[in-house]
Each structure stands twice: as C-alpha cells, then as structure tokens.
Amino acid sequence: MRDLSNLIHPVVAIAPAAPTTDNTVLTSAIIDKAGYESLAFLILIGVLAAGAATFAVTVEHGDAADLSDAAPVAAANLTGTLALASFDQTADGKARKIGYTGAKRYVRLKITPTGNNAAAPIAALALLGDGRFIPTPNPPG
C-alpha cells in the first residue's frame, strides 16, 4: 500500500505563532515517544526579515517527563546533522529536518537565533512513526 498517514503521528512541537523578533531560544514541547520507535522533527521556516540572522538547531533527550535530566543528543543518535538542520536568513520558505534514533523516551528541539532583530516566523512538527498500534489515531489529538 502507499499509505503514509496511518503510519505516522504528528505532534505540534513549536506552534505557529507571532514571529520571534529577538534572540530568544525557541524550545519545543516535550515529545513523548511512548508507543513509537522513530521520531523526526520537521522545521517550517517563513520569510525571515533579519539580514544576518542564524538559527542553530539542537536536540535534547532524557528519561524524566519534564526533561529535568535533559542532555544534548549525541550525533550518533541523530539522522542528519545539526548543521544541516540549522539555517540562516537565506532559508525563506524552506523546511529542515533532523531525526532522533536514541533510546530515551522524552525528546525536545531547540532553535537558538543569533543576530535576529526582525520577524522570524518558525514552527516545528514532531513526526512519530513505527507505532506499536496501526492505524495511528486520526485526528492525531
């Protein structure tokens, strides 16, 4: 079959909101991988107004539901690289992705702007896959 929608479970990680206009770190919701074996973050980039801004992407994981034990994810537990997921002001209207292959249950994404002094509309989606129960819920909830 060519069905993808019943095999994935999307979760809003960074909700679409008023664009950030400074260097405040964008921190995603904590994603609970319970019931799923794979996770990828999809970053959606709007029109970036700052002339020399950069946006560094990092991923953290842990065993505590509140991620009080958060630690940076090692490169060996990522598919793709943090460098390829990061972007600058030339990425208008683009998307980036970074996958997580580690064994921790809780994961979050962080996007750290530098030199951002204008509108930067950014959102992110966590895409869970390889669920224990198929089809996945619809609507996702």
Side-chain angles (χ1 to χ4, degrees), residues 7-105:
L7 303 176
I8 58 171
H9 184 70
V11 177
V12 173
I14 298 174
T20 185
T21 58
D22 59 17
N23 292 323
T24 301
V25 176
L26 298 169
T27 302
S28 80
I30 296 170
I31 306 303
D32 184 353
K33 287 183 55 224
Y36 296 90
E37 297 299 321
S38 60
L39 166 64
F41 286 102
L42 308 175
I43 302 165
L44 309 172
I45 306 160
V47 175
L48 302 173
T54 60
F55 300 84
V57 173
T58 56
V59 182
E60 297 177 330
H61 63 170
D63 293 315
D66 64 355
L67 273 182
S68 56
D69 62 342
V73 175
N77 290 325
L78 295 171
T79 54
T81 67
L82 295 174
L84 289 174
S86 298
F87 52 97
D88 63 20
Q89 78 283 350
T90 64
D92 289 347
K94 305 274 189 210
R96 296 289 188 268
K97 64 182 178 177
I98 187 80
Y100 174 75
T101 61
K104 302 288 185 181
R105 178 168 171 181

